[in-house]
Amino acid sequence: MFANQYYCLVAGLKEYTLDADVKGFDAPALIAEIREGVSKRDRHAIDLLYTYYDIENIISLRAGREQFSGLGHFSRQELEEELRQPVRLPAWMGRVIAAFRAESDPETPAEERSEESFEHRLLTAYYDTCARSRSGFLRHWSDFDRTLRNVTAALSARRLGLSPAGSIVGRGEIETALARSSAADFGLRSEVDYVEQVIAAMGSDANLLEKEHRLDALRWSKAEELACMHYFDLDYLLSYLVRINLIHRWAALDPARGRRMLDALMASFSEAGRRTGEGAEQTGQTPDHERDE
C-alpha cells in the first residue's frame, strides 16, 4: 500500500522568526495544524506519539508533582477523572488502569498481584502498542526511545548503588542485559550502537541540563536518521514532530538553545521543502490526503 504524500502540508508549514525568548513558537498550535492536515488513519499514529505525554502526566499526578506537559491530549482535571473511570483514554490504557485497580483491592489474593509498578505497566503497554503501529518510524522510534531511557535509568541506578532491574521497562534481551549485566556497557556495545555515547554523557562532569542536552542531541539525530529518504509522508511528519517536541522542551528551559535547535530543524525542513516540486514532478501524484478518508 502506498503511503500518503503530504506535499502541500510539508511545503505550507511555517518557518518562525524568533527573538531571544523564542516568542512566536507555539508547539501545540503547530502540532494541531499537522494533525488536521493528515488522513484519519495517519492521525492515529500522531495521536499515539503524543500519548506518551499523557502517560508522563499520569505519572506526575500520581507522584503529586506539579510538572505537567501541555503536549498530551488531556488536561490535569481530565486525567484525574480518567484515572477514576477511564472513558476517553485508549482501550489499552483503560485495561491497565482497571487491572491495577483490581489488584489494589485488599481482598485480591497476593498471588494474583503483579510486582510490576503501575507506571511500568503503562509504559510497557505503550511501547508494545507502538511496536504494532503501521508507521515504520513510530515502531523504530519507540524502540529507540525505550532503550535510551532504559540505559540512562540503569546507569543512574548503578551510580546510586541500586539494582537497575526495578528501573527497566520491557522484557526483551536488551532489557535483561541492562537489569543483570555488570559490564561497563552492560554487554550491549554490539546491540546498541550509541550506548557508549550515553555512558559518556551520563558520566561527564557537566551539569544536569548539559547531560540532558547531550541525550536530546542523540534523539534529534535518531529522528533525522529514521526519516532519511522520507520527504513528504507520515514518517517525515512524525520525525518533524519529534524534533518540534525537543525544541518545545528546550525553549522552556533555555531560550537561546531552543532557538538554535529550531534553526537547525528549519534548515533541514527547508531542504525537504526544496524537493517538493521535484518530488511532485517525478511521481505525478496528487498531494491530497483525502484518499484515505
Side-chain angles (χ1 to χ4, degrees):
M1 182 178 294
F2 292 103
N4 285 332
Q5 301 293 312
Y6 298 107
Y7 298 115
C8 291
L9 177 58
V10 171
L13 291 175
K14 297 179 181 178
E15 293 190 36
Y16 292 86
T17 301
L18 304 175
D19 60 19
D21 295 324
V22 203
K23 292 178 180 177
F25 175 67
D26 187 342
L30 182 54
I31 294 163
E33 178 183 349
I34 293 174
R35 185 179 179 278
E36 291 303 313
V38 302
S39 71
K40 291 180 180 178
R41 188 168 58 175
D42 286 349
R43 198 173 301 146
H44 290 311
I46 292 176
D47 288 346
L48 182 55
L49 176 68
Y50 285 96
T51 295
Y52 182 86
Y53 295 97
D54 289 321
I55 295 175
E56 277 196 337
N57 288 337
I58 287 174
I59 293 172
S60 290
L61 283 175
R62 285 175 49 81
R65 295 194 295 264
E66 290 298 320
Q67 180 182 355
F68 195 89
S69 174
L71 296 183
H73 301 294
F74 300 92
S75 68
R76 182 186 297 270
Q77 181 179 352
E78 288 171 334
L79 277 182
E80 290 174 344
E81 294 173 353
E82 289 295 309
L83 283 172
R84 289 191 292 269
Q85 183 61 50
V87 176
R88 298 168 57 196
L89 288 173
W92 56 267
M93 289 182 72
R95 287 192 291 270
V96 172
I97 294 171
F100 182 78
R101 183 183 295 115
E103 291 179 22
S104 300
D105 189 322
E107 297 183 1
T108 300
E111 62 271 17
E112 295 182 12
R113 299 179 185 179
S114 171
E115 295 183 359
E116 188 177 19
S117 71
F118 174 68
E119 290 76 9
H120 274 203
R121 279 191 254 183
L122 270 182
L123 288 167
T124 297
Y126 173 75
Y127 287 120
D128 287 347
T129 302
C130 288
R132 296 190 296 270
S133 172
R134 69 183 187 86
S135 164
F137 177 91
L138 195 52
R139 293 194 303 273
H140 293 299
W141 170 258
S142 62
D143 182 64
F144 162 81
D145 184 64
R146 176 180 58 192
T147 300
L148 177 58
R149 292 179 189 276
N150 278 339
V151 172
T152 58
L155 287 169
S156 296
R158 177 183 280 180
R159 189 165 54 249
L160 294 172
L162 303 174
S163 170
S167 306
I168 306 304
V169 174
R171 299 172 290 269
E173 293 182 2
I174 291 176
E175 289 75 28
T176 299
L178 288 170
R180 299 179 180 178
S181 176
S182 59
D185 64 354
F186 301 96
L188 293 176
R189 187 172 304 176
S190 61
E191 299 292 330
V192 182
D193 59 6
Y194 52 86
V195 67
E196 291 186 351
Q197 292 175 267
V198 179
I199 293 172
M202 295 291 289
S204 71
D205 294 328
N207 61 35
L208 180 60
L209 282 181
E210 186 59 35
K211 291 181 180 181
E212 286 294 319
H213 180 255
R214 293 181 184 183
L215 295 176
D216 276 355
L218 278 174
R219 291 185 172 95
W220 184 287
S221 177
K222 190 65 175 182
E224 288 187 319
E225 175 190 326
L226 292 177
C228 181
M229 306 305 293
H230 293 268
Y231 301 112
F232 314 106
D233 62 6
L234 172 65
D235 284 357
Y236 172 80
L237 291 173
L238 287 168
S239 170
Y240 180 86
L241 287 169
V242 164
R243 287 174 280 162
I244 284 293
N245 300 341
L246 293 174
I247 297 167
H248 175 78
R249 180 188 185 205
W250 284 99
L253 295 174
D254 183 339
R257 182 171 287 152
R259 187 176 67 256
R260 291 196 297 272
M261 293 177 76
L262 180 62
D263 288 344
L265 174 61
M266 287 307 161
S268 64
F269 169 69
S270 296
E271 174 63 17
R274 185 183 66 78
R275 299 172 182 268
T276 301
E278 299 175 7
E281 291 177 1
Q282 293 173 2
T283 63
Q285 292 177 306
T286 302
D288 293 332
H289 63 268
E290 288 84 358
R291 291 173 295 172
D292 276 357
E293 298 292 342

